[in-house]
Amino acid sequence: MEIFASRSDRRRGLLALCLVAAAFVTLYVVVRNYGAFLSDPQALRAWIRQFGAFAPLVFVLVQALQVVVAPIPGQVLALTSGYLFGPLAGTVYSLTGVLIGSTVAFTLSKRFGRGFVEGILHEDVLTRFDGFVERVGLPGLLAFVIIPGLPDDAICFLSGLTRWPLRAFIAVIAVGRFPAYVITVYAGDELANGQLLSAAVLIGAIVAFSVVGYYKQDAVRDVVERAERRLSGRS
């Protein structure tokens, strides 16, 4: 049985395979060499600064990478972006990276299906949130991702298993993650300007919400599902 219909199709297929292999090798090297300090804002700040004019691009790529492969909250990097780039540019760079990473996660799940998602998500997360995004719909997803501390990166992968279009999914992620990222980036800018008290208050608020979100994941999930059933008229 022939896999490719023509020699040109064969060449294109081999080229695509080589590109995918190169992408995975590059990703592996980046994570292996630099993944250790992704959760260390001080080391990350020093590393990004060495790129000079290319620092914004590097930051966006790192922020995107954390959505797909790094087990750390995006707010950690958002704080760094505020410190490095200021409130406006820091917010733009942070959200751009998050949206790129969310797009990659959603697209990978859409392309490779459930087996791929089961292979990369922790069994506990998959058990508790399997089918959640399908049940609550886009409004429910918005209510969920707006709360920091929840497994929203994992939700990006699970969303790829739904019939939602990428455009609608990204719009929800952008709106839902905007408030927490704005506050966190602004806190980073306050730190850079020596406003330690205001920075501490803002960071404390985000940490408090994140802790509640992390330890009350199941409760938040149940509240969102009940609210969606009431709004849709289902019992």
Side-chain angles (χ1 to χ4, degrees), residues 142-163:
L142 175 61
F144 188 82
V145 299
I146 204 169
I147 303 173
L150 297 173
D152 43 12
D153 293 342
I155 292 297
C156 291
F157 285 101
L158 292 172
S159 296
L161 301 179
T162 68
R163 296 181 180 180

Side-chain angles (χ1 to χ4, degrees), residues 190-212:
E190 291 289 272
L191 280 176
N193 292 323
Q195 303 299 319
L196 301 183
L197 179 59
S198 59
V201 170
L202 293 172
I203 293 172
I206 291 295
V207 169
F209 279 111
S210 297
V211 169
V212 172

Side-chain angles (χ1 to χ4, degrees), residues 92-133:
V92 171
Y93 298 151
S94 288
L95 285 177
T96 298
V98 165
L99 294 181
I100 291 174
S102 300
T103 298
V104 171
F106 182 92
T107 303
L108 286 174
S109 297
K110 186 75 73 176
R111 172 65 179 83
F112 296 108
R114 184 175 182 84
F116 169 78
V117 175
E118 291 177 346
I120 62 174
L121 292 186
H122 193 281
E123 183 179 355
D124 178 60
V125 174
L126 188 61
T127 299
R128 287 187 290 120
F129 292 97
D130 190 19
F132 168 77
V133 291

Side-chain angles (χ1 to χ4, degrees), residues 59 63 74-75 77-95 178-191 202 206:
F59 177 83
Q63 183 70 285
Q75 281 82 9
L77 298 181
L79 187 71
T80 303
S81 71
Y83 189 97
L84 286 174
F85 308 114
L88 180 58
T91 299
V92 171
Y93 298 151
S94 288
L95 285 177
F178 184 77
Y181 272 71
V182 167
I183 295 173
T184 308
V185 170
Y186 185 73
D189 180 63
E190 291 289 272
L191 280 176
L202 293 172
I206 291 295

